[in-house]
Amino acid sequence: MNNGRSLWGSLKLPRPRRAGSRPHMIYLAIGFPPAAKSCAYRMRETANQFAAAGWDVTAVTIADEAWEREYGLDHTLSEGVDPHVRVVKLPLFRDDLETDIRSFTEQRALAHKDYLADLRKQNLKVFPEPVFGGWRPALEKALLQIHRERHVDLLVTTCAPYVNLAATWKLWETHRVPYVVDFRDGWSVDVINNGEAFPRESVSGQWEIKLLTDAVAIWNVNEPISRWYRERYPELAHKMRIVRNGYDAASIPTQVRPAPPDRPLTFGYLGALNLPVPLLDAVLQGWRTARAEDPALADARFEVRGHIGAAWARGDNAHAELLRAAAVDGVLVGGSVPKAEVVDLYSRWDAVVLMVTGGRYMTSGKVYEYMATGLPVVSAHEADHDASTVLSTYPLWTGAVGLDPAELASAFRRAAAMARTADATEREQARAEARQYAREEQLIPAVREVTDLVLGAGGPVPPQPSPAGARVLAREGRS
């Protein structure tokens, strides 16, 4: 993996703005737009809300070419970035995603698995993260260079990758720059297997407690993960905040109507197809059964949109094979969708399918967007899942039935009935339930709190939350 050293001399940082009355923060956000990743939505809104609260923001990510190796780019995401945000793109790349065999060493060409195993061992020597650990020196150097150019008043670091924490600590250790850790899915909690990812005594555990102890605030995306950290570090519980992913209002149709009776129904899935293969297979089996047994679904379509695999496996993997085989069952594969076109996609769908892995520690940001559409939602995940908690009050939800194909078939049939019969009032009730999860409503209170903690009463006046945002604060016991 390239740690950036050999390319550092060619790095040209965007010129920082002249120091003025606005405080300056670094937002260490690997995955910032135009990266075509789901984390980019949260990152963009976070940067925009800090800018709206009076900060000049320097967002640090990696080169566009690096994202082209993975899921690709979505330049429509960059169009919505606040002008007070400058973006620094570091020349860092994942060598394990390189597909140009002309650049391979003899060892890599002849023993690729051994090469990757050795690469991960070398990365772990730098920082306890096997894929990204080697980026530590370059990230540390970048943050120190930015601080030299213009004093940094705050650092917000969002993980993953967790090697960001090393650079965060470096700026704190050398210049005492206060920082916020946006853990999102957490580090020591295994959100997929519902347990501890590593013990407190491990190298990773020592890094985690060190970083969290001196953090101004610690953000997580849901209550189960936040509770995990409150119980793991009770002495730091007062720093824990729930900042959900939420949804972007611009991606939601202004109106949703019942499906006309004279045309076939269209179900849809939007998101990266990085799910376990058995999960996708169960959904497709359930769809096939429902379509065969329910006349209302006989000519229905199931449109799957999003990236199918990353890097060398993009579009050519087990998921793609399953989807191709399901074409005879009305399954259509349409590829990724630019963020600016998502609203048009939801406008022509009649129901949505929430396919997500994990369990009680996982929510998935897509659940909030699905709820905001006012469309029936079919859940394809474990019954004991945090998405079930969020959806429990959503009136057009088919319920959590696990991953049994027969139960999923019944869920598809229930969603079809809802798509035809749910009236405007029911759909508005469904959309109203989701409004508390608008992305800005989640971030404004958190940004306001951090701004007050770092700058005090004399700092910029951040925006006030809307009534929906105030309700979120009241529910979480904050004012």
Side-chain angles (χ1 to χ4, degrees), residues 42 127 156-165 180-189 191 198 204-205 207-213 215 217-222 225-226 228-229 232-233 236 240-241 243 245:
R42 179 185 181 93
F127 183 82
V156 176
T157 188
T158 185
C159 307
Y162 300 101
V163 69
N164 286 352
L165 297 173
V180 172
V181 176
D182 180 12
F183 256 153
R184 302 197 326 251
D185 286 337
W187 192 15
S188 58
V189 56
V191 299
F198 50 77
S204 297
W207 267 104
E208 183 176 77
I209 184 58
K210 178 171 70 173
L211 264 293
L212 298 190
T213 296
I218 303 155
W219 295 355
N220 286 115
V221 297
N222 60 33
I225 296 175
S226 187
W228 164 275
Y229 274 106
R232 188 176 178 87
Y233 306 112
L236 303 178
M240 307 296 172
R241 297 293 180 269
V243 184
N245 278 321

Side-chain angles (χ1 to χ4, degrees), residues 41-42 45 56 184 188 251 259 288 297 328 344 421 442:
Y41 313 144
R42 179 185 181 93
E45 188 64 29
D56 279 342
R184 302 197 326 251
S188 58
S251 299
R288 183 181 307 115
L297 288 166
V328 295
D344 297 326
T421 62
Q442 296 297 311

Side-chain angles (χ1 to χ4, degrees), residues 245-429:
N245 278 321
Y247 69 91
D248 299 299
S251 299
I252 306 304
T254 56
Q255 289 185 320
V256 182
R257 298 181 177 87
D262 58 345
R263 68 162 173 79
L265 293 173
T266 299
F267 285 64
Y269 168 84
L270 177 61
L273 264 295
N274 50 12
L275 309 163
V277 172
L279 191 160
L280 177 61
D281 189 34
V283 171
L284 294 177
Q285 288 185 48
W287 169 257
R288 183 181 307 115
T289 299
R291 202 165 179 264
E293 295 179 353
D294 190 340
L297 288 166
D299 52 0
R301 303 187 306 171
F302 182 10
E303 186 174 358
V304 177
R305 301 300 301 269
H307 300 281
I308 304 176
W312 53 268
R314 195 183 304 175
D316 187 16
N317 51 31
H319 299 83
E321 292 177 6
L322 281 174
L323 291 168
R324 280 194 290 268
V328 295
D329 302 313
V331 176
L332 308 174
V333 180
S336 61
V337 183
K339 182 67 169 175
E341 299 176 14
V342 169
V343 63
D344 297 326
L345 198 67
Y346 287 133
S347 295
R348 56 184 177 81
W349 284 353
D350 302 305
V352 287
V353 182
L354 180 67
M355 293 190 285
V356 58
T357 189
R360 62 181 179 273
Y361 293 108
M362 178 73 82
T363 303
S364 171
K366 192 58 64 179
V367 66
Y368 307 111
E369 188 171 278
Y370 277 10
M371 290 172 66
T373 64
L375 297 171
V377 177
V378 176
S379 272
H381 52 70
E382 297 292 344
D384 182 15
H385 198 285
D386 193 55
S388 299
T389 304
V390 176
L391 284 162
S392 62
T393 56
Y394 185 71
L396 299 182
W397 182 43
T398 62
V401 298
L403 299 175
D404 178 73
E407 294 294 337
L408 288 170
S410 297
F412 276 116
R413 290 195 290 270
R414 288 194 294 275
M418 291 178 185
R420 296 288 193 199
T421 62
D423 60 23
T425 299
E426 291 175 285
R427 292 172 185 273
E428 183 51 39
Q429 289 174 349

